[in-house]
Amino acid sequence: MRTFLRWCAALLLLAVLVAAAGYLAGGLHGAAQVAKAKEAAAAAVEVGLPAGQRQADHEQARVHRAAVERWGSPAYSWQELVCAIGSRDAGWIVESYEQDCRIVSVDLVPRPRTTGTGCTSLWVRTGPLAGADLVRGSTAALAQQEPSAAMCPDGIVTPRRSGATRLLSGARPADLDESPAWLVVTTSVEVSTTDLGCDPWALLFCQAPVDEPVLG
């Protein structure tokens, strides 16, 4: 009986060691794949950035002209590279994570008055402003620590709180005190999308393999 128990214990220990070795080998292989995916994401940004910059300049110029004719010249204009990590889902199941990078162009136009305490989207379906995001809001709403709570866009006074950004041109304001209200005119152009896979050390479900996007 004791011999039998010793054999059972030995087999159980062997099974645990085999499982641990398999987990370690799979994790190390997966970590190497994630490292390659991060390199690919950085390379995709650098490759896609020149063409994306040209398209972003064209889109911003088109929208800028129409906005100036309708509301006047912006007080601030800037472009930034914005990258975020998101999941690719199949129903309720996360299949993989990917990095999406875009060039976001912003024109900030002062307005003499405001309506309400939060932000309001202006919908333009036709003409040169079609495709742009137009949001009007009070200075207090746009400058607060959590602007999304007032349905306002993030990243106006400080860099966006989610993802990672790199300023490409222009400058955002240090504050918005010079006007009681603002019109935020935003266009966005895709630069790259790269599959990153899953966290190789996650045991059950697919989890994000990186904590922050890779800007290059």
Side-chain angles (χ1 to χ4, degrees):
M1 186 65 179
R2 290 181 179 177
T3 302
F4 174 74
L5 292 176
R6 290 194 189 98
W7 275 105
C8 288
L11 290 174
L12 180 60
L13 178 60
L14 179 62
V16 171
L17 291 175
V18 170
Y23 173 75
L24 180 61
L28 292 174
H29 175 73
Q33 295 300 109
V34 170
K36 290 181 180 179
K38 290 173 65 176
E39 292 177 357
V45 171
E46 295 306 316
V47 170
L49 197 55
Q53 184 78 70
R54 290 191 294 270
Q55 185 180 355
D57 290 343
H58 175 76
E59 288 296 307
Q60 187 179 30
R62 173 181 62 84
V63 172
H64 176 89
R65 288 192 297 269
V68 168
E69 291 178 1
R70 187 165 178 176
W71 295 292
S73 298
Y76 302 94
S77 296
W78 69 92
Q79 284 185 343
E80 60 184 346
L81 175 66
V82 179
C83 295
I85 304 297
S87 62
R88 189 170 67 239
D89 305 333
W92 295 97
I93 304 298
V94 175
E95 288 189 328
S96 181
Y97 282 83
E98 60 186 15
Q99 173 173 297
D100 176 74
C101 294
R102 312 182 70 82
I103 294 177
V104 177
S105 306
V106 181
D107 282 339
L108 201 55
V109 185
R111 305 303 298 151
R113 62 184 182 277
T114 183
T115 56
T117 58
C119 287
T120 304
S121 295
L122 308 179
W123 300 101
V124 180
R125 300 185 182 277
T126 60
L129 289 171
D133 289 330
L134 307 171
V135 177
R136 181 172 178 166
S138 67
T139 291
L142 288 165
Q144 66 180 323
Q145 188 172 0
E146 296 291 343
S148 60
M151 305 299 291
C152 297
D154 192 11
I156 302 302
V157 177
T158 59
R160 295 165 185 259
R161 291 167 176 79
S162 62
T165 66
R166 182 203 302 169
L167 190 66
L168 300 176
S169 64
R172 57 171 45 86
D175 59 61
L176 300 174
D177 295 341
E178 63 192 85
S179 178
W182 297 86
L183 178 68
V184 184
V185 184
T186 306
T187 56
S188 179
V189 171
E190 184 175 350
V191 172
S192 66
T193 300
T194 307
D195 183 68
L196 299 175
C198 301
D199 182 354
W201 304 106
L203 291 175
L204 294 178
F205 302 107
C206 180
Q207 298 179 17
V210 297
D211 295 326
E212 296 290 339
V214 183
L215 295 183

